[in-house]
Short mmCIF file of all heavy atoms in Angstrom, two decimals:
data_model
loop_
_atom_site.label_atom_id
_atom_site.label_comp_id
_atom_site.label_asym_id
_atom_site.label_seq_id
_atom_site.Cartn_x
_atom_site.Cartn_y
_atom_site.Cartn_z
N SER E 172 -0.18 -9.26 11.26
CA SER E 172 0.46 -9.74 12.48
C SER E 172 0.50 -8.65 13.56
O SER E 172 0.13 -8.90 14.71
CB SER E 172 1.88 -10.23 12.18
OG SER E 172 2.53 -10.66 13.35
N ALA E 173 0.93 -7.45 13.18
CA ALA E 173 1.02 -6.35 14.15
C ALA E 173 -0.36 -5.96 14.66
O ALA E 173 -0.54 -5.67 15.85
CB ALA E 173 1.71 -5.16 13.51
N LEU E 174 -1.35 -5.95 13.78
CA LEU E 174 -2.69 -5.59 14.21
C LEU E 174 -3.30 -6.64 15.13
O LEU E 174 -3.96 -6.31 16.12
CB LEU E 174 -3.59 -5.36 12.99
CG LEU E 174 -3.41 -4.03 12.28
CD1 LEU E 174 -4.22 -3.99 10.99
CD2 LEU E 174 -3.82 -2.86 13.18
N GLU E 175 -3.06 -7.91 14.83
CA GLU E 175 -3.58 -8.96 15.69
C GLU E 175 -2.98 -8.85 17.09
O GLU E 175 -3.66 -9.12 18.09
CB GLU E 175 -3.31 -10.34 15.08
CG GLU E 175 -4.22 -10.69 13.92
CD GLU E 175 -5.69 -10.83 14.31
OE1 GLU E 175 -5.97 -10.95 15.52
OE2 GLU E 175 -6.54 -10.81 13.41
N ASP E 176 -1.72 -8.48 17.19
CA ASP E 176 -1.10 -8.26 18.50
C ASP E 176 -1.80 -7.13 19.24
O ASP E 176 -2.06 -7.22 20.44
CB ASP E 176 0.39 -7.93 18.34
CG ASP E 176 1.22 -9.14 17.93
OD1 ASP E 176 0.73 -10.28 18.07
OD2 ASP E 176 2.37 -8.94 17.48
N ALA E 177 -2.11 -6.06 18.50
CA ALA E 177 -2.80 -4.91 19.12
C ALA E 177 -4.21 -5.30 19.55
O ALA E 177 -4.68 -4.89 20.62
CB ALA E 177 -2.84 -3.74 18.13
N PHE E 178 -4.89 -6.11 18.75
CA PHE E 178 -6.23 -6.56 19.11
C PHE E 178 -6.19 -7.39 20.39
O PHE E 178 -7.01 -7.21 21.30
CB PHE E 178 -6.84 -7.40 17.99
CG PHE E 178 -7.03 -6.69 16.68
CD1 PHE E 178 -7.10 -7.40 15.48
CD2 PHE E 178 -7.14 -5.30 16.64
CE1 PHE E 178 -7.29 -6.75 14.28
CE2 PHE E 178 -7.31 -4.63 15.43
CZ PHE E 178 -7.39 -5.37 14.24
N ALA E 179 -5.25 -8.32 20.44
CA ALA E 179 -5.15 -9.19 21.61
C ALA E 179 -4.86 -8.39 22.87
O ALA E 179 -5.44 -8.64 23.94
CB ALA E 179 -4.05 -10.23 21.38
N GLU E 180 -3.98 -7.40 22.76
CA GLU E 180 -3.63 -6.58 23.91
C GLU E 180 -4.83 -5.77 24.41
O GLU E 180 -5.00 -5.55 25.62
CB GLU E 180 -2.49 -5.63 23.55
CG GLU E 180 -2.00 -4.78 24.71
CD GLU E 180 -0.81 -3.92 24.35
OE1 GLU E 180 -0.24 -4.09 23.25
OE2 GLU E 180 -0.43 -3.07 25.19
N ALA E 181 -5.68 -5.35 23.47
CA ALA E 181 -6.85 -4.54 23.83
C ALA E 181 -8.04 -5.39 24.25
O ALA E 181 -9.06 -4.85 24.71
CB ALA E 181 -7.24 -3.64 22.66
N GLY E 182 -7.97 -6.70 24.05
CA GLY E 182 -9.09 -7.56 24.41
C GLY E 182 -10.23 -7.55 23.42
O GLY E 182 -11.39 -7.72 23.77
N VAL E 183 -9.88 -7.34 22.12
CA VAL E 183 -10.90 -7.36 21.08
C VAL E 183 -10.53 -8.44 20.06
O VAL E 183 -9.38 -8.86 19.96
CB VAL E 183 -11.04 -5.99 20.37
CG1 VAL E 183 -11.39 -4.91 21.37
CG2 VAL E 183 -9.77 -5.62 19.61
N ALA E 184 -11.53 -8.90 19.32
CA ALA E 184 -11.32 -9.95 18.33
C ALA E 184 -11.77 -9.47 16.96
O ALA E 184 -12.81 -8.82 16.83
CB ALA E 184 -12.09 -11.21 18.72
N PHE E 185 -11.00 -9.82 15.94
CA PHE E 185 -11.30 -9.43 14.56
C PHE E 185 -12.03 -10.55 13.84
O PHE E 185 -11.62 -11.71 13.90
CB PHE E 185 -9.99 -9.12 13.83
CG PHE E 185 -10.16 -8.74 12.37
CD1 PHE E 185 -10.50 -7.45 12.02
CD2 PHE E 185 -9.96 -9.68 11.36
CE1 PHE E 185 -10.64 -7.09 10.69
CE2 PHE E 185 -10.10 -9.33 10.03
CZ PHE E 185 -10.44 -8.02 9.69
N THR E 186 -13.10 -10.19 13.14
CA THR E 186 -13.83 -11.14 12.30
C THR E 186 -13.75 -10.67 10.85
O THR E 186 -14.17 -9.55 10.54
CB THR E 186 -15.31 -11.23 12.72
OG1 THR E 186 -15.39 -11.66 14.07
CG2 THR E 186 -16.06 -12.22 11.82
N GLU E 187 -13.19 -11.50 10.00
CA GLU E 187 -13.05 -11.13 8.59
C GLU E 187 -14.37 -11.31 7.87
O GLU E 187 -15.07 -12.31 8.06
CB GLU E 187 -11.97 -11.98 7.94
CG GLU E 187 -11.71 -11.65 6.47
CD GLU E 187 -10.55 -12.45 5.91
OE1 GLU E 187 -9.41 -12.28 6.42
OE2 GLU E 187 -10.78 -13.25 4.98
N VAL E 188 -14.70 -10.34 7.02
CA VAL E 188 -15.94 -10.39 6.24
C VAL E 188 -15.65 -10.58 4.75
O VAL E 188 -16.36 -11.31 4.07
CB VAL E 188 -16.79 -9.13 6.47
CG1 VAL E 188 -18.05 -9.16 5.61
CG2 VAL E 188 -17.16 -8.99 7.94
N ALA E 189 -14.61 -9.92 4.24
CA ALA E 189 -14.32 -10.00 2.82
C ALA E 189 -12.84 -9.74 2.57
O ALA E 189 -12.17 -9.08 3.37
CB ALA E 189 -15.16 -9.00 2.03
N VAL E 190 -12.35 -10.26 1.47
CA VAL E 190 -10.97 -10.02 1.04
C VAL E 190 -11.02 -9.29 -0.29
O VAL E 190 -11.78 -9.65 -1.20
CB VAL E 190 -10.18 -11.33 0.88
CG1 VAL E 190 -8.76 -11.05 0.40
CG2 VAL E 190 -10.15 -12.09 2.21
N SER E 191 -10.22 -8.24 -0.40
CA SER E 191 -10.25 -7.39 -1.58
C SER E 191 -8.83 -7.13 -2.07
O SER E 191 -7.88 -7.13 -1.29
CB SER E 191 -10.94 -6.06 -1.22
OG SER E 191 -10.69 -5.06 -2.16
N ALA E 192 -8.69 -6.90 -3.36
CA ALA E 192 -7.41 -6.51 -3.93
C ALA E 192 -7.30 -4.99 -3.92
O ALA E 192 -8.28 -4.29 -4.18
CB ALA E 192 -7.29 -7.03 -5.36
N PRO E 193 -6.14 -4.44 -3.60
CA PRO E 193 -5.98 -2.98 -3.58
C PRO E 193 -6.22 -2.35 -4.95
O PRO E 193 -5.86 -2.92 -5.98
CB PRO E 193 -4.53 -2.79 -3.15
CG PRO E 193 -4.15 -4.05 -2.46
CD PRO E 193 -4.91 -5.12 -3.16
N MET E 194 -6.84 -1.19 -4.91
CA MET E 194 -7.11 -0.42 -6.12
C MET E 194 -6.54 0.98 -5.94
O MET E 194 -6.40 1.48 -4.82
CB MET E 194 -8.62 -0.32 -6.37
CG MET E 194 -9.35 -1.64 -6.41
SD MET E 194 -9.13 -2.54 -7.95
CE MET E 194 -10.27 -1.63 -9.01
N VAL E 195 -6.21 1.61 -7.05
CA VAL E 195 -5.79 3.02 -7.04
C VAL E 195 -7.01 3.87 -7.34
O VAL E 195 -7.72 3.62 -8.32
CB VAL E 195 -4.71 3.28 -8.10
CG1 VAL E 195 -4.32 4.76 -8.10
CG2 VAL E 195 -3.48 2.42 -7.84
N ALA E 196 -7.31 4.83 -6.48
CA ALA E 196 -8.42 5.75 -6.71
C ALA E 196 -7.89 7.05 -7.27
O ALA E 196 -7.03 7.70 -6.67
CB ALA E 196 -9.18 6.01 -5.41
N LEU E 197 -8.39 7.43 -8.45
CA LEU E 197 -7.94 8.61 -9.18
C LEU E 197 -9.14 9.47 -9.58
O LEU E 197 -10.25 8.95 -9.75
CB LEU E 197 -7.23 8.19 -10.47
CG LEU E 197 -6.02 7.27 -10.42
CD1 LEU E 197 -5.73 6.74 -11.82
CD2 LEU E 197 -4.82 8.03 -9.89
N PRO E 198 -8.92 10.76 -9.82
CA PRO E 198 -9.99 11.57 -10.41
C PRO E 198 -10.17 11.19 -11.87
O PRO E 198 -9.23 10.72 -12.53
CB PRO E 198 -9.48 13.00 -10.24
CG PRO E 198 -8.00 12.88 -10.17
CD PRO E 198 -7.72 11.56 -9.49
N SER E 199 -11.34 11.41 -12.39
CA SER E 199 -11.62 11.04 -13.77
C SER E 199 -10.79 11.84 -14.77
O SER E 199 -10.66 11.45 -15.93
CB SER E 199 -13.11 11.22 -14.07
OG SER E 199 -13.52 12.56 -13.80
N SER E 200 -10.21 12.95 -14.32
CA SER E 200 -9.37 13.78 -15.19
C SER E 200 -7.89 13.40 -15.14
O SER E 200 -7.06 14.02 -15.83
CB SER E 200 -9.51 15.25 -14.78
OG SER E 200 -9.10 15.42 -13.43
N HIS E 201 -7.54 12.40 -14.36
CA HIS E 201 -6.13 12.05 -14.17
C HIS E 201 -5.53 11.48 -15.45
O HIS E 201 -6.18 10.73 -16.18
CB HIS E 201 -6.00 11.03 -13.03
CG HIS E 201 -4.63 10.91 -12.48
ND1 HIS E 201 -3.62 10.22 -13.11
CD2 HIS E 201 -4.09 11.40 -11.34
CE1 HIS E 201 -2.53 10.28 -12.38
NE2 HIS E 201 -2.78 11.00 -11.30
N PRO E 202 -4.26 11.82 -15.77
CA PRO E 202 -3.62 11.31 -17.00
C PRO E 202 -3.55 9.79 -17.08
O PRO E 202 -3.48 9.24 -18.19
CB PRO E 202 -2.21 11.92 -16.93
CG PRO E 202 -2.37 13.14 -16.10
CD PRO E 202 -3.41 12.82 -15.08
N LEU E 203 -3.57 9.10 -15.93
CA LEU E 203 -3.45 7.64 -15.94
C LEU E 203 -4.80 6.93 -15.80
O LEU E 203 -4.84 5.72 -15.61
CB LEU E 203 -2.53 7.20 -14.80
CG LEU E 203 -1.09 7.74 -14.85
CD1 LEU E 203 -0.31 7.30 -13.62
CD2 LEU E 203 -0.38 7.29 -16.11
N VAL E 204 -5.87 7.67 -15.93
CA VAL E 204 -7.18 7.11 -15.61
C VAL E 204 -7.61 5.99 -16.56
O VAL E 204 -8.45 5.15 -16.20
CB VAL E 204 -8.25 8.24 -15.60
CG1 VAL E 204 -8.57 8.69 -17.02
CG2 VAL E 204 -9.50 7.80 -14.85
N ASN E 205 -7.04 5.92 -17.74
CA ASN E 205 -7.43 4.88 -18.70
C ASN E 205 -6.54 3.65 -18.67
O ASN E 205 -6.70 2.75 -19.50
CB ASN E 205 -7.45 5.47 -20.11
CG ASN E 205 -8.56 6.50 -20.29
OD1 ASN E 205 -9.67 6.32 -19.81
ND2 ASN E 205 -8.23 7.60 -20.95
N ALA E 206 -5.62 3.59 -17.71
CA ALA E 206 -4.73 2.44 -17.61
C ALA E 206 -5.50 1.20 -17.19
O ALA E 206 -6.46 1.28 -16.41
CB ALA E 206 -3.62 2.72 -16.61
N ALA E 207 -5.09 0.04 -17.70
CA ALA E 207 -5.73 -1.22 -17.32
C ALA E 207 -5.32 -1.62 -15.91
O ALA E 207 -6.10 -2.24 -15.17
CB ALA E 207 -5.36 -2.32 -18.30
N SER E 208 -4.11 -1.27 -15.52
CA SER E 208 -3.59 -1.50 -14.17
C SER E 208 -2.45 -0.52 -13.95
O SER E 208 -1.93 0.07 -14.91
CB SER E 208 -3.11 -2.94 -13.98
OG SER E 208 -2.03 -3.22 -14.85
N LEU E 209 -2.05 -0.35 -12.70
CA LEU E 209 -1.00 0.62 -12.38
C LEU E 209 -0.02 0.04 -11.37
O LEU E 209 -0.37 -0.83 -10.57
CB LEU E 209 -1.62 1.90 -11.79
CG LEU E 209 -2.40 2.80 -12.76
CD1 LEU E 209 -3.18 3.85 -11.98
CD2 LEU E 209 -1.45 3.46 -13.74
N THR E 210 1.20 0.55 -11.42
CA THR E 210 2.21 0.24 -10.41
C THR E 210 2.47 1.51 -9.61
O THR E 210 2.19 2.63 -10.08
CB THR E 210 3.52 -0.23 -11.05
OG1 THR E 210 4.10 0.87 -11.79
CG2 THR E 210 3.29 -1.42 -11.97
N LEU E 211 3.03 1.36 -8.42
CA LEU E 211 3.37 2.55 -7.63
C LEU E 211 4.45 3.38 -8.31
O LEU E 211 4.50 4.60 -8.15
CB LEU E 211 3.82 2.12 -6.24
CG LEU E 211 2.73 1.55 -5.33
CD1 LEU E 211 3.29 1.26 -3.95
CD2 LEU E 211 1.53 2.49 -5.23
N GLU E 212 5.29 2.73 -9.10
CA GLU E 212 6.32 3.46 -9.84
C GLU E 212 5.69 4.43 -10.83
O GLU E 212 6.17 5.56 -11.03
CB GLU E 212 7.25 2.49 -10.56
CG GLU E 212 8.19 1.70 -9.67
CD GLU E 212 7.49 0.62 -8.86
OE1 GLU E 212 6.40 0.17 -9.29
OE2 GLU E 212 8.03 0.21 -7.81
#
């Protein structure tokens, strides 16, 4: 919502190409690297 307001004010239009689920990016040495999923906690 906030970004669409900024786009409209600037006179630009957004075109969606893809929808993705957020992922956590970790180094391969990280203690949690083998988790099936993670929470921010």
Side-chain angles (χ1 to χ4, degrees):
S172 178
L174 282 173
E175 285 295 344
D176 287 344
F178 298 157
E180 183 176 351
V183 302
F185 178 82
T186 300
E187 182 175 298
V188 177
V190 179
S191 164
M194 306 283 282
V195 178
L197 302 166
S199 56
S200 60
H201 198 282
L203 300 176
V204 74
N205 293 318
S208 63
L209 289 168
T210 66
L211 290 184
E212 288 73 23

